Amino acid sequence: MGKKNKKSAVAAESLTMESQVSTESSASSSTQKKNKAPSASPMSQPSSSSSALVICRNKHWRYISSFHGPWLQLPLEVLETLANANYYMPLPRPVDPAVFYDLVKIRQLVDGATDLAVRAANGVASSALSNSLSGGAAHHMQALGLGFGNSAGAKLSPERRFRMREQATQKLSRAYHLDEIASSVATMQSTSTLENVAGLVLQRAPNDPDANYVHFFHEKIPSRQLAECTDLRALDLIISQRPSDCEPLRTRAIVRTFKDDYEGAVQDLTNALAVYRLQKPLHKPVAEENMQLERRAGRRRDNPPLDERDQPSSTEVQLLFQRAGCYLTLACDHVPLALPKSPVPAGQNGNTQNEANGPRTNGNSLPQDTESSAEDKGPTKKQLETRKTVRVYAKRALRDYMEYFKHFHYSPNLPIELSDEFSRQVNQVTTHRARRYHNQSRYGSQDPGSPNDNYTSHTVYELAALFTATPPSNLPPYPSTELIAPGSSPVESVQTTAEVVTYHPLLTDALHSLLLCHTLIQTSAKELQRHAHMVARLARLADGYPVFQASRSPARADWIEVLRRADNWIELSSSWETLCAPAPLPVPVSSNGLSAATAAMNALAITGGTSPTETDDQRKERMRHQAIIEALEDERVNDEASFKAAILARQRRAEADHANGGLPSPNAGPKRWAVDDGREYPILTERAEAIAKWIREAPTGSGTGSSKRKKKPGAKKKSAAQVDKQEAVDPTPETV
């Protein structure tokens, strides 16, 4: 099992590619006015195209850090066994099964494509040698440049090599259809041969849709210049060739977001949802229905691998998340037009008295006569209409996020034995490399309300039900007076139940985006406080064990900045970092099996961790290296100045956490290992600035049409499905 960290691999690859680009660009740099060597930092200015770092297009995709984790290094048979074990767990499952099965299929496809591409490049006819390297070791050796050589002794014909590359391209295309973000992470771990395989196929088949789709992701472009160096005609051709595929529409929508064409992205995502739902089966597969009946009757004692056609799909979740983000961005983009203009941004001049006077200040940099006349006239008609537009887009984003949350579940009282069962299965699989683990679950049903002989029943809610006007009443109180500070050792107590939430790589970002939507809608402070406490409750429970590592959330960073700049207007009792501090793992009383503490040690072994004992020099070097890696992957860093500022801020944050006891000691209690409980570095984004200004200056319910209207007789409220159906017919957003 490979133990190298994915982020280190990406950084090493980036530095290697940068050195190659520097060598290749030395000849062309003589024509420039300033003939100097390229900067050692990859964060070069976009204008200096000759010295820009050239990387694959898919390395610019957002949320790549959310899909880092041990799933990239785990042996494939172990990963498949864990996916089946996760699927057969009762609701709420530890990890979303659709994403888990996507990871397995992507690993299979990328590993198979790597084997074909390398054999075609080296002229190897047989894959016996590569098949002997189990667990993904083959593509790790290939990534180091260790070819297999022509062991068969026969030279492959050009036609044979083309067919092998064509098959490799088809596998990669299928992987990108499943999840282009996870596939991008997987291909980064693989050999550089994959980057050129689609281009070689296009030399003979320029209209091949699979080759065009893969080449779109692997084409080399200057770093940080995706919008300028990307043409949509390749995707247009694929969409016209395969109108029944929704995935190219999803890809084109993501590219439109880089070009700031969010309305076009919404239209593509709406069309993609319509295509997907048209082909989506209206009922459960027969195999899944039979499986649930057998488990409910107690006849099934093992968990056979789930057939691929019966595995759940994550496509709809991806489309909903992406469209919600587009709507939220559109809402934030209209905020400056909805409020009076302020020539001097807040905080740049020394006088901040006007900001502290109240939430409806208009700035103090205008002349007195202009300011007084603006106050007398009030907001213009265009500003009033734009304020309504902000709320309309925010409500649409909120609707999509709520539909997204319906795919995941939460339980306030899952028995400890059930929550610890998955840890025992992980230990069994990772320790003994078992291909199948029979009798994995000793309970009888997927349905939490069905009778169970071994454990008491537990309650399960959809996440969307937690954010309704009347949330469930039987939830444990939160925040309570027993908040555990980060780095402290919780007192072990006998627990019989625990709170559990299904993990998804984008869940944390969606939860915080929901709070930003409510802020733009101008939900009352009391209700927004309740939603914030619910988000903190779920964020502290999110745990991607054993396949996902901690990830940063742009929405969480923006929410923290909004709270800071709005002076905690919803009156939270503690800082957001404290409210979202990872919940301590429950410690069950068990005479046999693993405890949660052992599960934490297994997590350390899976991620390739080392002993927490290290010298000061080693600690500083580790913090510096980690800061560089995180700064390289952050989308908000766009030049050398912000790159250096990000590194310095992250190093200071790490030092502060270490000084405050942020690093757990070996004797500390078990901790959730896939939760990002660190503070985001202080770089203000445009979205956070716009929302904070909206809180300070936008009036609530005065001439904006936000007050409640009387319902017309016979009028019925449209459901989310009806709204989506209407948008599918006319995907252009209505005039607002």
Side-chain angles (χ1 to χ4, degrees):
M1 178 172 57
K3 295 185 178 180
K4 65 177 182 180
N5 191 290
K6 188 265 165 195
K7 296 182 179 179
S8 302
V10 174
E13 182 180 359
S14 300
L15 294 176
T16 303
M17 295 173 60
E18 180 188 1
S19 62
Q20 295 174 356
V21 173
S22 301
T23 304
E24 296 173 357
S25 61
S26 59
S28 61
S29 62
S30 59
T31 60
Q32 294 186 355
K33 296 181 179 180
K34 295 183 179 180
N35 186 9
K36 61 180 181 179
S39 173
S41 171
M43 317 306 299
S44 58
Q45 294 290 343
S47 58
S48 57
S49 58
S50 62
S51 60
L53 178 65
V54 179
I55 60 177
C56 293
R57 182 178 283 111
N58 61 353
K59 294 183 180 180
H60 294 82
W61 253 234
R62 298 185 177 101
Y63 303 106
I64 278 183
S65 63
S66 300
F67 287 82
H68 292 171
W71 71 274
L72 295 163
Q73 290 85 26
L74 281 174
L76 192 54
E77 60 179 9
V78 172
L79 188 64
E80 185 176 3
T81 304
L82 292 178
N84 287 323
N86 174 79
Y87 177 78
Y88 286 107
M89 290 292 292
L91 297 178
R93 299 182 177 97
V95 181
D96 177 40
V99 172
F100 214 144
Y101 279 119
D102 281 351
L103 299 184
V104 176
K105 289 180 283 191
I106 290 172
R107 274 287 307 275
Q108 292 173 342
L109 294 169
V110 173
D111 289 356
T114 302
D115 179 68
L116 288 169
V118 172
R119 288 196 290 120
N122 296 337
V124 179
S126 175
S127 60
L129 177 60
S130 60
N131 289 338
S132 64
L133 300 173
S134 61
H139 76 266
H140 286 305
M141 291 182 63
Q142 297 153 8
L144 297 175
L146 302 178
F148 298 121
N150 194 348
S151 58
K155 185 177 181 180
L156 295 179
S157 64
E159 182 66 23
R160 178 72 179 276
R161 292 191 177 192
F162 171 76
R163 295 304 175 191
M164 294 172 66
R165 292 190 176 107
E166 190 178 37
Q167 293 178 15
T169 303
Q170 293 171 358
K171 290 179 178 292
L172 291 175
S173 176
R174 189 182 170 200
Y176 281 113
H177 275 70
L178 290 172
D179 193 318
E180 54 197 86
I181 304 178
S183 299
S184 298
V185 176
T187 53
M188 290 178 193
Q189 286 280 303
S190 189
T191 174
S192 60
T193 308
L194 289 182
E195 298 176 358
N196 305 321
V197 64
L200 295 174
V201 174
L202 288 176
Q203 292 178 2
R204 289 187 53 181
N207 294 328
D208 187 299
D210 290 324
N212 276 304
Y213 194 56
V214 174
H215 182 68
F216 180 83
F217 289 101
H218 293 178
E219 185 180 8
K220 299 292 184 64
I221 61 174
S223 177
R224 309 288 179 180
Q225 298 185 30
L226 187 145
E228 299 86 350
C229 303
T230 300
D231 193 349
L232 296 177
R233 286 180 294 181
L235 293 175
D236 296 340
L237 176 62
I238 299 172
I239 294 172
S240 62
Q241 290 175 328
R242 294 180 174 177
S244 59
D245 289 355
C246 61
E247 292 82 7
L249 287 168
R250 176 195 63 197
T251 304
R252 190 172 68 176
I254 293 176
V255 176
R256 288 186 189 274
T257 61
F258 284 99
K259 294 177 175 289
D260 294 332
D261 181 16
Y262 291 96
E263 293 183 355
V266 167
Q267 182 175 352
D268 281 343
L269 292 169
T270 303
N271 291 336
L273 277 169
V275 172
Y276 172 79
R277 289 169 177 170
L278 184 64
Q279 302 174 356
K280 182 181 177 181
L282 300 179
H283 56 83
K284 294 181 180 180
V286 178
E288 184 176 351
E289 294 178 353
N290 295 337
M291 180 270 296
Q292 292 190 6
L293 291 175
E294 291 179 0
R295 291 181 63 83
R296 187 174 292 110
R299 296 194 301 267
R300 184 183 292 273
R301 299 301 301 168
D302 61 340
N303 297 330
L306 191 64
D307 190 78
E308 184 175 344
R309 62 184 178 87
D310 298 329
Q311 295 174 1
S313 172
S314 66
T315 303
E316 185 176 12
V317 171
Q318 300 174 36
L319 298 175
L320 288 171
F321 179 85
Q322 294 290 346
R323 192 174 70 170
C326 292
Y327 278 136
L328 180 57
T329 303
L330 285 171
C332 295
D333 288 345
H334 283 79
V335 168
L337 302 176
L339 301 174
K341 295 182 179 180
S342 300
V344 180
Q348 288 190 5
N349 55 349
N351 188 5
T352 58
Q353 179 181 1
N354 195 36
E355 293 184 8
N357 288 335
R360 301 185 185 180
T361 59
N362 296 327
N364 57 356
S365 57
L366 294 174
Q368 291 183 357
D369 54 350
T370 306
E371 184 177 359
S372 60
S373 61
E375 291 179 356
D376 294 339
K377 293 181 180 180
T380 63
K381 181 178 180 180
K382 183 178 180 180
Q383 289 177 346
L384 292 178
E385 292 296 328
T386 309
R387 291 174 187 177
K388 185 177 180 181
T389 302
V390 171
R391 294 183 177 86
V392 168
Y393 280 130
K395 289 179 181 178
R396 291 180 180 178
L398 181 62
R399 178 202 64 195
D400 281 348
Y401 281 124
M402 293 295 285
E403 289 294 318
Y404 168 89
F405 291 139
K406 289 181 180 179
H407 293 79
F408 314 109
H409 300 87
Y410 160 84
S411 175
N413 55 355
L414 184 71
I416 297 296
E417 292 83 356
L418 296 186
S419 62
D420 199 52
E421 175 72 15
F422 188 64
S423 299
R424 286 194 289 267
Q425 297 178 35
V426 173
N427 177 74
Q428 173 75 14
V429 174
T430 57
T431 302
H432 302 289
R433 298 290 188 270
R435 184 175 297 272
R436 291 184 178 86
Y437 181 56
H438 297 281
N439 299 331
Q440 288 178 350
S441 55
R442 295 170 294 188
Y443 34 85
S445 175
Q446 288 279 94
D447 185 3
S450 63
N452 197 308
D453 297 334
N454 297 320
Y455 306 118
T456 58
S457 61
H458 60 282
T459 309
V460 176
Y461 299 103
E462 292 181 349
L463 292 190
L466 304 179
F467 297 99
T468 57
T470 55
S473 59
N474 61 338
L475 304 182
Y478 189 82
S480 63
T481 57
E482 300 177 355
L483 284 176
I484 304 298
S488 62
S489 300
V491 180
E492 295 188 4
S493 59
V494 178
Q495 295 178 272
T496 58
T497 61
E499 294 181 88
V500 178
V501 65
T502 302
Y503 183 84
H504 187 271
L506 304 175
L507 177 62
T508 302
D509 199 82
L511 288 171
H512 289 83
S513 297
L514 178 137
L515 298 179
L516 299 179
C517 293
H518 276 289
T519 303
L520 293 173
I521 297 173
Q522 294 185 324
T523 302
S524 65
K526 183 177 181 181
E527 185 177 359
L528 184 54
Q529 183 193 69
R530 176 172 64 85
H531 291 320
H533 287 160
M534 189 65 68
V535 168
R537 175 202 299 271
L538 298 175
R540 67 196 297 262
L541 297 173
D543 194 339
Y545 177 79
V547 288
F548 291 111
Q549 289 181 348
S551 63
R552 299 178 311 281
S553 167
R556 174 180 171 175
D558 289 343
W559 171 249
I560 293 175
E561 190 64 27
V562 167
L563 285 175
R564 182 184 298 112
R565 290 184 172 263
D567 297 328
N568 189 17
W569 86 104
I570 58 176
E571 298 180 355
L572 295 177
S573 58
S574 303
S575 66
W576 191 250
E577 291 84 356
T578 303
L579 290 173
C580 294
L585 286 171
V587 182
V589 178
S590 176
S591 59
N592 53 5
L594 295 178
S595 64
T598 308
M601 297 303 295
N602 292 339
L604 186 65
I606 291 177
T607 56
T610 58
S611 173
T613 304
E614 60 181 355
T615 63
D616 290 340
D617 294 338
Q618 292 175 343
R619 175 180 55 81
K620 292 180 180 179
E621 181 63 24
R622 174 179 54 81
M623 291 178 178
R624 178 179 175 276
H625 179 71
Q626 186 68 19
I628 294 175
I629 296 298
E630 294 179 356
L632 283 172
E633 297 175 348
D634 197 281
E635 62 185 26
R636 293 174 293 182
V637 178
N638 51 20
D639 54 20
E640 188 172 357
S642 60
F643 178 65
K644 292 180 179 179
I647 295 177
L648 182 61
R650 290 188 177 278
Q651 285 180 304
R652 289 177 178 175
R653 183 192 70 180
E655 291 290 347
D657 290 343
H658 178 74
N660 296 331
L663 296 178
S665 62
N667 298 327
K671 178 184 176 182
R672 298 179 187 272
W673 64 285
V675 181
D676 182 12
D677 57 340
R679 297 184 301 274
E680 305 293 339
Y681 65 90
I683 294 182
L684 181 63
T685 63
E686 294 181 359
R687 181 171 66 174
E689 184 179 8
I691 296 177
K693 184 178 181 180
W694 177 263
I695 296 172
R696 294 192 306 266
E697 302 181 13
T700 56
S702 57
T704 57
S706 60
S707 57
K708 294 184 179 180
R709 300 177 180 177
K710 295 182 179 180
K711 294 183 179 180
K712 297 180 180 180
K716 295 183 180 179
K717 185 178 179 181
K718 292 184 179 181
S719 62
Q722 293 173 334
V723 174
D724 288 337
K725 183 177 180 181
Q726 180 180 358
E727 290 186 355
V729 177
D730 184 13
T732 305
E734 63 185 46
T735 303
V736 290

